[in-house]
Amino acid sequence: MQLSEFTRLAHAGAITNLRFIESGCSPMVIECQYEYPGDDNHVPMKGLLENSHGDALTCKNITQAYDICRKAGLHKAELVQIIPHDEACAGFTLSAEQQAIPLVF
């Protein structure tokens, strides 16, 4: 999802959840869950924020992620930290899925 679409959905109140996902030493990415305004089916969709080249938008730190969301008018998210050694032995469900940290900024 491009930043322009993200901002448009945020202003329309269509974003239902934001997650800052941090995996080991990798840069942080922002996952957005949303419903299209006017869609009577209320089907939730998910997508990572993307840069203008279609690559996942990465943040070096949480402050950059805050700034992106604040510019769109959003002030709540969840932080999900995935520890790399857990991924190898996690099986089908990552423990980080249940350990999201609520953030207000």
Side-chain angles (χ1 to χ4, degrees):
M1 166 188 304
Q2 297 285 324
L3 279 176
S4 58
E5 183 181 8
F6 172 69
T7 303
R8 183 179 58 77
L9 289 171
H11 290 299
I15 295 180
T16 57
N17 194 20
L18 278 175
R19 293 167 57 128
F20 301 158
I21 301 173
E22 184 176 51
S23 177
C25 297
S26 301
M28 183 180 296
V29 295
I30 301 173
E31 179 187 70
C32 177
Q33 183 173 352
Y34 57 97
E35 295 177 3
Y36 275 107
D39 182 10
D40 295 332
N41 296 330
H42 302 288
V43 177
M45 302 179 76
K46 286 184 182 180
L48 295 178
L49 293 187
E50 299 174 348
N51 63 19
S52 58
H53 302 292
D55 299 325
L57 182 69
T58 59
C59 302
K60 292 180 183 176
N61 54 49
I62 201 160
T63 303
Q64 287 181 336
Y66 285 167
D67 290 342
I68 291 167
C69 294
R70 276 193 211 121
K71 287 179 184 176
L74 300 171
H75 301 280
K76 290 168 68 175
E78 295 177 338
L79 175 64
V80 177
Q81 296 175 311
I82 300 171
I83 300 169
H85 67 270
D86 282 350
E87 293 175 4
C89 59
F92 293 109
T93 305
L94 292 174
S95 60
E97 292 295 323
Q98 291 88 24
Q99 299 174 358
I101 302 166
L103 303 171
V104 178
F105 44 91

